[in-house]
Amino acid sequence: MERRLFGTDGVRGRVGEYPMFPDMALRLGMAAGVQFRKGAGRHRVVIGKDTRISGYIYESALTAGLCAAGMDVFQVGPLPTPAIAFLTRNMRADCGIVISASHNPYHDNGIKFFDSEGFKLPDSVEDAISAMVLDSEYAWPYPAPDKVGRASKIQDAPGRYIVGIKSSIPRHINFAGMRVVIDCANGANYKVAPMALEELGAEVIKIGTAPDGLNINRDCGSLHPEVAAAKVRETRADMGLALDGDADRLIVVDETGRILDGDQIMAICAYDAMQRGALPGNKLVATVMSNMALEVFMRDVGGTLIRTAVGDRYVVEAMREHGALLGGEQSGHLIFMEHNTTGDGLLAGLQLLRIVQETGKPLSQLADKLQIYPQVLINVPVRQKIPFTECPAIANDVALAEKTLGGKGRVLLRYSGTEPLARVMVEGENSDMVQSLAEGLAETLRQAL
């Protein structure tokens, strides 16, 4: 397979393997410095990371490259991805960088960028950075010795983000009397999320808040929401919030212990915004992976669902294009554009708590508005990534599956942007049929790819 530098969400891979070499991070820092050091005066970049032990390697390498390119670096330590997007704007930086592999295990890491407005980079800018990094003969335009960058640590960054995220909740609302389980996945939000919830009055029960550099996402967080669900039932909490390692996604547990995905969260939040007249054009943006039930729900309540390719940055691009303020992914990336420019798990959790508080209804009742169609997703390891339509066996089996569904379901095949996997998704009205069709297609892919 072709070796690429940027995937669907920055540069990512196993530590010590391509492309996650320290010297690659150094060159990425230098290239980002060249890309964003425009005009006269000093230029600044904010760097945050999650709790992986390897974060120190890439933080140091990036800082060296950026300073060598003439950028002043502000290190904020372990903070969630959405906090870096917020701080990049708040500190009027030229760009922001997050060192994280999101929901992946500790042995992976990654590097992703935000522009000065807190948005992820378009392909054209990533391509420009890649060209510099991968050109072994690139002549770096080093600044004069007195123009190299300085590096410093920002101690009040968590407080800035907490103030910013609390501003999304009206001052007359607090969460006193509400018991909330928060699972931080031993990741970047292990300090900030509990503090924000407590400052808003909630009784907080913490899970996954003891990172050791190796336990990020291990048997906890949004990949294992059953842990939060068990704690909700044990403590009779009003809600459970399960974040991933960099806290840009959220899976929710209602007061009965039922696990809710991003589609159900979007339905609740979209309906609330429509009731308040706060959803421009009654538009919601989601990806092709979102359940058909979400599309039907939005139509039934007088709204519109706009679909995009998989990836939260594509959701954000469509939101900006259509003037939408709410969007997200089934996997739990939720974007509230009025308050932040990227997926923010804690922000989404606060909005759900607000809705429960304002309506006086338990989360289970609110979630019942969306009746999910049976959906099966199977990940298939692949040796090569070729267009599915170029493989006759796959194309034929997809056509047969769609005919079997009879227009009352969907088949979607796609490759992972970060792993050697193909994803098979089938949904429809009959769960047994959906399971059988998905397993059959998965076996076809195993043999063909």
Side-chain angles (χ1 to χ4, degrees):
M1 284 180 280
E2 179 186 359
R3 302 208 314 180
R4 295 192 68 249
L5 190 55
F6 282 86
T8 54
D9 196 18
V11 178
R12 188 180 296 184
R14 192 179 180 94
V15 174
E17 297 180 7
Y18 183 89
M20 297 308 299
F21 299 133
D23 57 327
M24 189 73 79
L26 175 70
R27 292 178 69 85
L28 268 171
M30 294 169 67
V34 173
Q35 179 67 35
F36 291 102
R37 193 192 69 217
K38 308 294 185 183
R42 306 296 297 186
H43 299 277
R44 54 178 59 181
V45 55
V46 177
I47 296 184
K49 60 183 179 180
D50 63 24
T51 55
R52 295 162 211 271
I53 191 170
S54 61
Y56 296 99
I57 299 171
Y58 304 111
E59 182 182 46
S60 298
L62 283 164
T63 297
L66 288 158
C67 288
M71 299 284 282
D72 291 332
V73 176
F74 295 94
Q75 299 174 346
V76 300
L79 276 181
T81 287
I84 306 309
F86 168 81
L87 289 167
T88 300
R89 300 190 310 276
N90 182 261
M91 298 180 65
R92 302 186 181 185
D94 295 275
C95 74
I97 301 177
V98 179
I99 303 166
S100 174
S102 188
H103 57 282
N104 288 21
Y106 82 93
H107 54 65
D108 290 341
N109 216 327
I111 299 167
K112 52 190 172 184
F113 296 84
F114 291 107
D115 67 16
S116 61
E117 297 300 317
F119 292 106
K120 292 182 179 178
L121 306 185
D123 291 339
S124 59
V125 178
E126 289 186 343
D127 289 344
I129 292 173
S130 293
M132 287 183 267
V133 172
L134 299 176
D135 182 356
S136 61
E137 298 181 359
Y138 183 78
W140 298 102
Y142 292 110
D146 63 335
K147 302 297 183 185
V148 298
R150 305 171 187 268
S152 57
K153 296 184 183 296
I154 304 299
Q155 303 297 334
D156 67 343
R160 290 191 188 207
Y161 176 59
I162 289 175
V163 170
I165 201 167
K166 283 169 56 182
S167 69
S168 72
I169 303 300
R171 290 184 61 84
H172 69 278
I173 293 177
N174 66 67
F175 303 143
M178 300 188 77
R179 181 177 296 162
V180 182
V181 170
I182 180 76
D183 186 342
C184 297
N186 292 313
N189 227 345
Y190 76 102
K191 284 185 178 179
V192 169
M195 288 174 60
L197 288 164
E198 288 169 353
E199 289 185 17
L200 285 165
E203 177 188 347
V204 180
I205 299 165
K206 296 182 285 187
I207 304 173
T209 55
D212 62 8
L214 305 176
N215 61 359
I216 188 170
N217 298 312
R218 184 198 298 161
D219 301 325
C220 58
S222 64
L223 289 180
H224 300 279
E226 66 278 2
V227 176
K231 185 62 70 172
V232 166
R233 289 190 291 268
E234 174 192 337
T235 61
R236 298 183 179 181
D238 297 286
M239 190 182 302
L241 307 175
L243 305 168
D244 68 338
D246 70 333
D248 66 350
R249 71 170 70 185
L250 170 73
I251 298 297
V252 178
V253 179
D254 71 15
E255 79 284 357
T256 72
R258 179 175 52 157
I259 296 168
L260 310 178
D261 65 14
D263 288 344
Q264 293 162 298
I265 301 169
M266 282 189 283
I268 294 170
C269 293
Y271 185 75
D272 166 74
M274 290 177 67
Q275 294 296 104
R276 295 185 290 111
L279 194 68
N282 291 339
K283 297 174 183 176
L284 173 66
V285 179
T287 76
V288 293
M289 294 299 292
S290 278
N291 197 280
M292 282 184 68
L294 184 60
E295 195 166 335
V296 173
F297 170 81
M298 287 301 294
R299 185 186 63 217
D300 289 348
V301 298
T304 302
L305 181 69
I306 300 168
R307 290 189 183 268
T308 74
V310 174
D312 63 319
R313 70 169 175 159
Y314 299 116
V315 173
V316 171
E317 287 174 4
M319 291 173 68
R320 298 176 75 182
E321 177 185 349
H322 294 278
L325 292 183
L326 179 62
E329 295 190 279
Q330 186 186 65
S331 60
H333 286 116
L334 288 308
I335 301 106
F336 295 80
M337 193 70 81
E338 183 180 358
H339 304 295
N340 209 343
T341 53
T342 192
D344 192 327
L346 177 58
L347 173 61
L350 296 186
Q351 295 307 307
L352 281 176
L353 287 164
R354 173 190 60 77
I355 295 169
V356 168
Q357 190 79 311
E358 285 187 326
T359 62
K361 297 178 180 179
L363 184 57
S364 60
Q365 186 175 339
L366 295 171
D368 284 342
K369 291 182 182 297
L370 188 70
Q371 299 300 316
I372 296 293
Y373 287 26
Q375 184 185 82
V376 174
L377 177 65
I378 301 176
N379 292 324
V380 181
V382 297
R383 299 173 295 277
Q384 56 185 338
K385 293 182 179 181
I386 61 175
F388 299 113
T389 54
E390 293 183 7
C391 180
I394 295 175
N396 289 338
D397 281 10
V398 168
L400 287 172
E402 290 176 336
K403 183 178 180 180
T404 302
L405 290 167
K408 297 182 178 180
R410 292 192 303 148
V411 174
L412 180 67
L413 306 182
R414 56 177 287 265
Y415 289 112
S416 166
T418 58
E419 301 172 275
L421 296 174
R423 307 196 194 279
V424 177
M425 190 274 285
V426 181
E427 65 184 10
E429 294 181 322
N430 185 293
S431 58
D432 290 339
M433 178 188 295
V434 166
Q435 184 71 42
S436 176
L437 291 174
E439 290 175 355
L441 284 168
E443 183 58 32
T444 300
L445 264 65
R446 287 189 192 99
Q447 296 180 16
L449 303 174

